[in-house]
């Protein structure tokens, strides 16, 4: 059986498929997270502690960038999987064409607007006189290369969802490998500082984009990019945005939350506190991206089998995904709890920053084992087209629980309240997600599988 045939999603055992699709996606997502981690490590050791704080100021804008990218890429990938489950090859190719055009339009508009008002935006995000120059230097280059990033990430999602998980992984391997080679060269040898890290990222993504475009223009590719589909269709755009609204809303909320966190950290702490949050964010990102890779690998399996009416396979995929997700985030918690100084020391030489980070890292990740289940459950609802539930779960942690905690706890216990609000919100949001998970499982059990 051809491993690149998307219809194996309805035939091969689910456990085997989950490994086949998730392992490349996990590697790809982990490598993607290494972009920011590599930047942080080289910037922390090569530029300084305040450069780490300046990089942390850019997180809200990076969240917005990712939000508009996933709005198109994740939505398009999910619908492509469902179309293939319905044996609609032409429909999947129409979605590919629409995703391509939307990536170009979204990225150009986003970059133009943000470059025009970059300094005021960064000030609003919490930049001080010390950290603003670092944040500005980094984001100017990232925004110039934004169309490249949008196209590469968006089309790579489609590649994975249409039966080529290993090739999608290789896109990230190529990109991150180039970044690892270029970042130290630009920072330490050429002495470009924080701008060197940004240039390394942009050039690496450009090389990966060439690889992805070659795939979709190759005659041997099952789902190909056709010129006749490079025009927007309102029905397809609505479907893409409808599915992609969940990760979009999650990232927009993450942007708002990070802005509030930065202001609270500056109000109750200083620029070192912002830098500590930047390091914590990077540490958590590694394990969150592992789970996101697992969820992305689960997405085409779940989407295809749900579209084909194979409900038993949908339920099996969900159960395995939740268990694997919790294992990944539990490992992250154990490392952060028992080795916080060593993890902080990976990113900086400054003793003040390392000590500030170590204590905060232990507290902020206390409930981190639960996060794996929450991410997988949210992705599951998105994969089967339950967008309203997915959006609610995406927003619950940040708006319903984290935001009130960030507002109230620092009033009682100062800077520590910022860190304690994170495990509190993780715990409450997971309780809600698990409850909705069991409700949906009960509904799926009552829905008999289609006979083929």
């Amino acid at each position: 059986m051809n491993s690149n045939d998307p219809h194996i999603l309805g035939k091969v055992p689910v456990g085997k498929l989950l490994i086949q699709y998730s392992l490349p996606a996990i590697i790809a997502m982990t490598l993607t997270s290494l972009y920011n981690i590599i930047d942080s490590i080289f910037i922390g050791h090569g530029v300084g502690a305040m450069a780490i704080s300046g990089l942390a100021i850019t997180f809200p804008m990076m969240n917005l960038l990712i939000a508009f990218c996933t709005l198109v890429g994740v939505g398009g990938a999910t619908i492509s999987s469902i179309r293939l489950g319905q044996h609609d090859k032409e429909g999947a190719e129409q979605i590919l064409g629409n995703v391509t055009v939307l990536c170009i339009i979204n990225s150009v508009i986003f970059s133009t607007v943000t470059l025009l008002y970059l300094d005021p935006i960064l000030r609003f995000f919490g930049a001080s006189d010390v950290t603003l120059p670092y944040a500005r230097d980094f984001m100017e280059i990232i925004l110039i290369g934004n169309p490249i990033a949008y196209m590469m990430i968006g089309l790579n999602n489609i590649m994975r969802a249409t039966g080529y998980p290993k090739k999608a992984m290789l896109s990230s391997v190529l990109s991150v490998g180039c970044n690892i080679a270029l970042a130290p060269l630009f920072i330490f040898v050429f002495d470009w500082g924080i701008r060197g890290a940004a240039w390394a990222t942009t050039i690496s993504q450009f090389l990966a984009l060439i690889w992805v475009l070659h795939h979709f223009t190759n005659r041997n590719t099952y789902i190909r990019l056709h010129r006749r589909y490079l025009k927007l269709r309102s029905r397809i755009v609505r479907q893409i945005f409808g599915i992609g609204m969940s990760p979009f809303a999650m990232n927009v909320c993450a942007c708002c939350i990070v802005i509030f966190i930065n202001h609270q950290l500056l109000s109750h702490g200083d620029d070192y506190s912002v830098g500590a949050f930047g390091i914590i964010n990077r540490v958590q990102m590694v394990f969150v991206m592992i789970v996101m890779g697992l969820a992305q690998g689960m997405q085409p399996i779940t989407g295809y089998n749900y579209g084909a009416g194979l409900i038993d396979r949908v339920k099996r995929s969900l159960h395995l995904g939740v268990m694997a997700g919790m294992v990944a985030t539990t490992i992250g918690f154990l490392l952060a709890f028992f080795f916080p100084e060593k993890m902080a020391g990976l990113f900086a030489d400054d003793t003040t920053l390392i000590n500030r980070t170590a204590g905060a890292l232990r507290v902020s990740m206390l409930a981190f084992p639960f996060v794996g289940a929450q991410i997988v459950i949210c992705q599951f609802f998105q994969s089967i087209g339950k967008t309203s539930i997915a959006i609610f779960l995406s927003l619950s942690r940040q708006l319903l629980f984290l935001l009130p905690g960030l507002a109230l706890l620092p009033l009682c216990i100062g800077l520590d309240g910022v860190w304690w609000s994170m495990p509190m919100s993780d715990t409450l949001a997971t309780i809600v997600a698990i409850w909705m998970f069991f409700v949906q499982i009960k509904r799926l059990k009552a829905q008999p599988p289609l006979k083929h």
Side-chain angles (χ1 to χ4, degrees):
M1 186 179 292
N2 184 0
S3 61
N4 287 331
D5 177 7
H7 301 300
I8 67 171
L9 294 169
K11 302 173 184 177
V12 174
V14 172
K16 183 178 179 181
L17 279 175
L18 196 60
I19 295 173
Q20 179 182 334
Y21 272 72
S22 291
L23 188 58
I26 288 169
I27 294 172
M29 293 298 288
T30 304
L31 290 173
T32 299
S33 72
L34 287 178
Y35 266 122
N36 295 322
I37 292 169
I38 291 167
D39 287 341
S40 297
I41 291 173
F42 287 133
I43 288 169
H45 292 288
V47 186
M50 287 301 100
I52 286 283
S53 298
L55 193 63
I57 294 299
T58 69
F59 289 173
M61 190 172 292
M62 297 300 288
N63 283 128
L64 279 179
L65 189 155
I66 294 170
F68 283 98
C69 187
T70 55
L71 175 65
V72 177
V74 174
T78 301
I79 300 170
S80 296
S81 297
I82 294 173
R83 292 290 181 275
L84 288 175
Q86 298 167 342
H87 300 269
D88 184 5
K89 181 175 182 286
E90 182 180 359
E93 291 183 331
Q94 287 178 343
I95 291 165
L96 173 62
N98 276 250
V99 166
T100 303
V101 175
L102 285 171
C103 281
I104 295 172
I105 293 173
N106 279 5
S107 61
V108 170
I109 293 174
F110 184 92
S111 292
T112 302
V113 173
T114 49
L115 280 170
L116 287 173
Y117 302 99
L118 186 56
D119 275 19
I121 291 172
L122 292 174
R123 287 284 189 186
F124 177 69
F125 288 169
S128 67
D129 290 338
V130 176
T131 58
L132 178 62
Y134 295 110
R136 182 202 304 122
D137 284 351
F138 185 78
M139 284 311 306
E140 281 177 346
I141 306 304
I142 293 297
L143 290 170
I144 290 171
N146 194 26
I148 295 171
Y150 267 54
M151 288 279 288
M152 191 276 285
I153 296 171
L155 296 185
N156 209 46
N157 281 333
I158 303 292
M159 184 192 294
R160 182 181 300 107
T162 53
Y164 296 86
K166 291 181 180 178
K167 291 189 75 172
M169 177 193 70
L170 288 176
S171 303
S172 297
V173 171
L174 171 63
S175 186
V176 173
C178 291
N179 197 29
I180 291 174
L182 293 177
L185 179 68
F186 292 168
I187 294 173
F188 296 105
V189 179
F190 293 174
D191 197 25
W192 290 357
I194 199 169
R195 294 175 74 89
W199 274 117
T201 297
T202 299
I203 293 171
S204 301
Q205 289 174 333
F206 176 71
L207 295 174
L209 175 60
I210 294 174
W211 163 264
V212 174
L213 289 175
H214 176 267
H215 166 80
F216 282 115
T217 55
N218 191 315
R219 292 184 179 274
N220 296 323
T221 301
Y222 186 75
I223 299 297
R224 293 175 55 208
L225 188 61
H226 297 282
R227 184 177 299 177
R228 64 181 179 274
Y229 295 138
L230 291 176
K231 60 181 181 180
L232 298 179
R233 297 175 180 267
S234 59
R235 176 181 58 85
I236 294 176
V237 171
R238 286 195 301 270
Q239 290 175 336
I240 290 173
F241 284 174
I243 297 293
M245 191 57 65
S246 171
F248 174 80
M250 181 174 64
N251 281 290
V252 169
C253 283
C255 168
C256 298
I257 292 297
V258 171
I259 294 170
F260 193 51
I261 288 174
N262 284 341
H263 283 285
Q264 290 289 73
L265 290 172
L266 286 173
S267 176
H268 298 277
D270 51 25
D271 284 326
Y272 281 105
S273 301
V274 175
F277 173 65
I279 294 175
I280 292 168
N281 186 285
R282 295 312 193 215
V283 171
Q284 290 180 340
M285 181 186 297
V286 175
F287 300 98
V288 167
M289 292 299 257
I290 290 172
V291 181
M292 289 297 293
L294 170 70
Q296 283 193 7
M298 192 182 87
Q299 178 266 318
I301 302 169
T302 307
Y304 182 100
N305 286 285
Y306 187 79
L310 303 174
I311 303 304
D312 284 341
R313 293 175 63 82
V314 173
K315 292 185 288 190
R316 175 67 174 163
S317 173
L318 178 58
H319 280 114
L320 291 175
V322 168
M323 289 188 292
M326 291 190 69
V327 168
T329 49
T330 298
I331 292 172
F333 158 73
L334 293 173
L335 290 173
F337 190 81
F338 291 106
F339 309 103
E341 290 85 3
K342 289 185 178 180
M343 298 192 77
L346 291 174
F347 296 86
D349 298 317
D350 189 283
T351 304
T352 302
L353 181 57
I354 290 174
N355 292 336
R356 187 74 58 86
T357 303
L361 188 62
R362 272 194 171 125
V363 172
S364 62
M365 294 184 68
L366 281 174
F368 201 61
F370 302 141
V371 172
Q374 187 198 13
I375 293 172
V376 172
I377 291 171
C378 183
Q379 180 71 32
F380 162 73
F381 283 110
Q382 179 180 302
S383 298
I384 64 173
K386 304 287 185 181
T387 55
S388 59
I389 297 176
I391 291 172
F392 172 76
L393 291 178
S394 297
L395 299 180
S396 64
R397 176 189 179 271
Q398 299 177 74
L399 291 186
L400 295 183
F401 306 123
L402 182 56
L403 188 60
L406 288 169
L408 298 175
L409 289 181
L411 296 177
C412 303
I413 55 177
L415 180 61
D416 286 342
V418 177
W419 310 127
W420 277 104
S421 65
M422 298 177 189
M424 179 201 73
S425 61
D426 288 336
T427 301
L428 295 174
T430 302
I431 291 171
V432 173
I434 290 175
W435 174 71
M436 300 191 80
F437 163 82
F438 280 114
V439 170
Q440 186 63 30
I441 283 291
K442 187 175 181 180
R443 290 174 180 172
L444 287 175
K445 285 181 179 178
Q447 180 176 338
L450 297 179
K451 294 182 179 181
H452 294 271

